[in-house]
Amino acid sequence: MSDTAKVNLLGLNRQALEAFFVELGEKPFRARQLMQWVHQRGITDFNLMTDLSKVLREKLQSAAEVSLPEVCLDQKSADGTHKWLLHVDGVDNAIECVLIPEKNRQTLCISSQVGCTLNCSFCSTAKQGFNRNLTSAEIIGQLYLAHHALLREGSDKGITNVVMMGMGEPLLNYDAVMAALDIMGDDFAYGLSKRRVTISTAGVVPAIKQLRESTDVSLAVSLHAPNNELRDQLVPLNRKYPIKELLAACREYVQGHNRRRITFEYVMLKDINDSLEHARQLVKLLSDIPSKLNLIPFNPYPHAIYQCSDQATIDRFRDYVVSKGIVTVTRKTRGDDIDAACGQLVGRVKDKSRRSQKYQLSLEKLTGQVNAAN
Ligand code: SAH
């Protein structure tokens, strides 16, 4: 069998992996063993999986593989933020994932698509257009790489939280994202509780409804504007699913799950959505939804048409919404020295050729440093 026909076991959830083993004429429990080898021990070579018989290992060699996205660049920021640039089709497509270390948790921000179809006017990913959906293996591969890098550095728990806030719209790549979520939550893989996994969406209403039926991960909604007129401009998806429908889906999502709140993300754009009048409208919208508000200082990038609100304006906005009883956090900007801050993923440069040139330069610099150190 040729390599291309091999099944990549990395992206199969337990159910799919059990079906795979049954097809090979094996017992379903092999799926649990394999998941532990791969996701918990970081072993991808079937030959090293010593509790599988030699015959089974040979069968696996010919029918399957465990194939990871290729790390093209691996950078650490002065504040500890760690970014990986990963190649998914040879050098044709690149995605990024970012690890944000904090005292008691290690949060990984992962991508769900190469590029994005939604074209939000303030987002740098939008500028590169849409290339394709990631497979479940490419999504979970980001967690694999970051988790095992942390363990190698001596961390005892590895990644503790995942946010799907990298490139792409996770709810427009539903099946692959769901398979990856299964693996994140599986006790034989990463065992992350649903509370520790957050899907961020620009508001794909039918998919929010579907999500409610099948899982109870935390939901973050990129609201960014308190009325349809403005939101139509910032998040064009609003023309299809306007605020009223979106908030109805959010209300439904939290129903019957009292502990759950929706996180609303609101990017602070100077003179666009940051006045006290906007704050008043926002408070009205959120008054009957269990919610938490995340104010995100806009991260600029070359050719951006917006600026970040100044600190005093952000504080005034925050103080107003807090005074009305809305739990609010102003997000800290992390890792901006390595372009890892929100909205900067990959999109630092305009076109792909210049992008690869830049990474080639960074790679040469890094390689030079490594060589000099040796
Ligand atoms: N498509 C999903 C997830 C990806 S974006 C979504 O829309 O939620 C993750 C978050 O970063 C979103 O809230 C997005 O609006 C925000 N974001 C994008 N570009 C940004 C920028 N330049 N500055 C600050 N936040 C940005």
Side-chain angles (χ1 to χ4, degrees), residues 122-123 165-166 168-169 200-202 222 224 265 267 296 298-299 342-343:
F122 55 88
C123 178
M165 291 184 185
E169 168 52 51
S200 178
T201 178
S222 294
H224 305 315
E265 294 159 278
V267 62
I296 314 174
F298 172 67
N299 282 304
C342 200

Side-chain angles (χ1 to χ4, degrees), residues 185-365:
D186 197 307
D187 285 338
F188 290 91
Y190 301 93
L192 295 177
S193 78
K194 292 284 153 78
R195 267 182 314 118
R196 292 177 175 275
V197 177
T198 301
I199 288 199
S200 178
T201 178
V204 187
V205 167
I208 295 177
K209 294 184 175 175
Q210 199 182 347
L211 192 68
R212 182 181 191 274
E213 306 301 314
S214 41
T215 172
D216 60 352
V217 287
S218 302
L219 189 65
V221 171
S222 294
L223 193 59
H224 305 315
N227 59 63
N228 284 323
E229 200 189 345
L230 183 55
R231 195 164 190 270
D232 281 352
Q233 289 170 36
L234 301 180
V235 184
L237 183 68
N238 194 65
R239 297 174 200 155
K240 196 160 181 193
Y241 305 115
I243 291 177
K244 201 168 162 208
E245 281 178 38
L246 173 58
L247 295 186
C250 291
R251 262 181 225 105
E252 202 179 289
Y253 193 80
V254 288
Q255 247 167 35
H257 296 265
N258 287 334
R259 65 173 174 75
R260 210 159 58 175
R261 279 196 288 214
I262 306 274
T263 299
F264 288 96
E265 294 159 278
Y266 195 99
V267 62
M268 296 302 290
L269 303 171
K270 188 180 173 70
D271 299 331
I272 302 285
N273 64 354
D274 60 355
S275 71
L276 270 185
E277 177 51 29
H278 292 120
R280 274 187 213 104
Q281 291 178 12
L282 184 62
V283 165
K284 267 199 194 145
L285 284 184
L286 302 187
S287 62
D288 64 342
I289 305 178
S291 49
K292 193 177 114 183
L293 184 64
N294 224 326
L295 299 180
I296 314 174
F298 172 67
N299 282 304
Y301 49 89
H303 313 294
I305 53 172
Y306 300 107
Q307 288 177 298
C308 183
S309 311
D310 44 51
Q311 192 59 48
T313 309
I314 298 178
D315 292 347
R316 189 180 62 167
F317 195 99
R318 185 207 52 213
D319 291 348
Y320 179 80
V321 290
V322 167
S323 77
K324 299 296 174 187
I326 296 185
V327 179
T328 306
V329 178
T330 307
R331 194 183 285 170
K332 271 192 295 186
T333 292
R334 304 272 311 250
D336 46 0
D337 54 331
I338 55 165
D339 300 343
C342 200
Q344 293 181 325
L345 297 182
V346 176
R348 174 58 107 171
V349 279
K350 228 168 91 191
D351 64 76
K352 275 196 181 175
S353 52
R354 280 175 53 207
R355 185 164 82 224
S356 42
Q357 219 173 46
K358 176 190 168 208
Y359 287 126
Q360 194 54 45
L361 287 175
S362 318
L363 264 181
E364 275 162 17
K365 214 166 98 192

Side-chain angles (χ1 to χ4, degrees), residues 11-16 35 39 136 140 143 174-192 194 197 214-215 217:
L12 299 191
N13 64 8
R14 180 111 63 93
Q15 205 187 3
M35 286 182 107
H39 299 290
S136 58
I140 206 69
L143 176 54
Y174 195 86
D175 292 342
V177 166
M178 292 311 284
L181 289 183
D182 287 342
I183 302 170
M184 289 175 203
D186 197 307
D187 285 338
F188 290 91
Y190 301 93
L192 295 177
K194 292 284 153 78
V197 177
S214 41
T215 172
V217 287

